[in-house]
Amino acid sequence: MTIRSLLIANRGEIAVRIIKAAKALGIRTVQIYSAADVDMLAVKLADEAVEVGPPAARKSYLNIEAVVAAAKAAGVDAVHPGYGFLSENANFADAVEAAGLTFIGPKGDAIRLLGDKVAAREVAARAGVPTVPGSAGRIDGLEEATAVAERTGYPVMIKAAAGGGGRGIRVANNRADLERHFPQASAEALAAFGDGGLYLEKVITRARHVEVQILGDGENFIHCYERECSLQRRRQKVWEEAPSFLLPQDAREKLCASAVALAREVSYRGAGTVEYLYDDETGEFYFIEVNTRIQVEHPVTEMITGIDLVAEMIRIAGGAKLSIAQERVKIAGHAVECRINVEDPVRGFLPTPGRIDRLVVPAGEGVRFDTMLYEGYAIPPFYDSLVGKLIVHAENRDACLDRLARALADLTIVGPPTTVGLHQALAGDPAVKGGAFHTRFLEQWLETEFAGETGRTAEVA
Ligand code: ADP
Ligand code: ADP
Ligand code: MG
């Protein structure tokens, strides 16, 4: 069944991105919006738009009944969930299919299995993919937690089985920490994710976050190489690259092959990401989780491979076989993405939604700016602060960082404070140029280099 029309069950920059892919495929688009989002760019760009509820996401973008009803009323063939919101909600995928529509992503059961981070660890182990040393399954109580921690050694991470978006993770440096955090973590996970299930992982210190893009049609599975996402704050990515700089070729091959093995293990259908921690010193890598959706940082992969990942996931959902053979996926050059948020880095990353008075978007060869912004747009305060992504591509990493510095200088957003200045400082930083970073690098850099430069502490909030 070819998809002729689709509903975008999301907002912001990813809604705009999905509309672009749909238009290129000749697909009619229907955009949902909350009462706070009447003015958003995707509403203007889509062929049709329907309001689904009040500003609170719980009552609009997270309201399964309302979103499915909007899709049925609009008469679309399919629903694209984007990232965040309902994108990894198995019940939503089931509800879309039960309404006779196509969910653009894996089947509900696959989302359920891989979205449970404990079950996903078991899948990885079955596929022969190394996982982080930790608990065999969910942990029943403090006694079991301490036993696991004694075995793996401290520090350990207490993680929520249903966690995501960098939330639901705590570090315990010793037994006293574990005794203090464990009971709280369970209650918090239950409140945040509706599932109090916890598991334990050893903390892999000075590791890089390296993830592999996968595509599957249920029978054929390929990878589109890796992304380097070590520059994080509060366990959320801030800056991403492809490929991972300084990753030895044999490690790259092993990582990518293991991601494909995992995809095959679950007969994966759609686009997905297998996330790993990679230890530079030992060359060991460890599976951490699978994201069964398009990711924020997908453009860096598109830039180095020339593959339109959103178009590909729409085609696969429409029943097409993978249109790309593994041998045809080649890495060309280097790409970097900077997440532009309306947040003030010198005031503890305080969210700063507001009106865009002036916007100058960088352009030129190898420069892409995915955004929801336009001049005069008033960013509503209710949602994620990500408002754009500057993606730059060049023949190698040095050239890419030079081009990035120029593009950042051209990018002018007058109105609310943004993270553009932070990215300028990062793009010119010798340690970032050297590329030898790890998942704690950015937080340490913010406390030292950035605080020194701005004369303000970056962590007041
Ligand atoms: P990516 O790997 O694509 O960067 P993230 O984990 O940063 O993915 O999540 C992408 C978006 O989805 C972010 O806006 C994040 O806040 C949101 N998100 C991810 N998981 C959850 C979740 N379980 N609950 C709420 N929001 C989430
Ligand atoms: P989420 O579902 O919230 O994205 P992840 O399990 O992917 O959670 O972890 C988010 C980030 O937390 C990782 O990118 C990494 O920086 C850090 N992290 C996760 N697990 C570990 C670990 N075992 N050791 C060290 N850092 C970790
Ligand atoms: Mg993750």
Side-chain angles (χ1 to χ4, degrees), residues 324-338:
I324 317 143
Q326 185 68 70
E327 313 79 70
R328 287 188 39 222
V329 185
K330 294 267 189 307
I331 300 178
H334 195 90
V336 172
E337 171 182 281
C338 297

Side-chain angles (χ1 to χ4, degrees), residues 29 205 324:
T29 52
T205 40
I324 317 143

Side-chain angles (χ1 to χ4, degrees), residues 55-76:
R58 210 166 26 85
K59 297 189 173 162
S60 48
Y61 299 108
L62 289 172
N63 182 340
I64 295 180
E65 263 177 46
V67 176
V68 174
K72 275 172 78 174
V76 294

Side-chain angles (χ1 to χ4, degrees), residues 88 117 121 132-133 155-157 159-169 171 193 199-211 229-230 232 234-237 275-277 286-291 293 295 438-440:
E88 292 183 278
K117 295 169 85 176
R121 271 165 65 86
V132 183
V156 292
M157 263 181 187
K159 289 180 150 187
R167 299 180 310 137
I169 296 180
V171 176
F193 310 112
Y199 66 111
L200 229 61
E201 274 180 10
K202 185 178 172 59
V203 172
I204 309 295
T205 40
R206 297 192 72 81
R208 289 165 175 263
H209 175 117
V210 181
E211 59 184 36
C229 311
S230 298
Q232 305 182 352
R234 297 199 173 156
R235 304 195 174 90
Q236 285 190 346
K237 300 154 190 164
E275 296 190 333
Y276 300 88
L277 293 173
Y286 309 91
F287 165 87
I288 46 174
E289 66 157 343
V290 181
N291 290 319
R293 53 167 164 90
Q295 274 185 287
H438 53 85
T439 54
R440 302 277 303 147

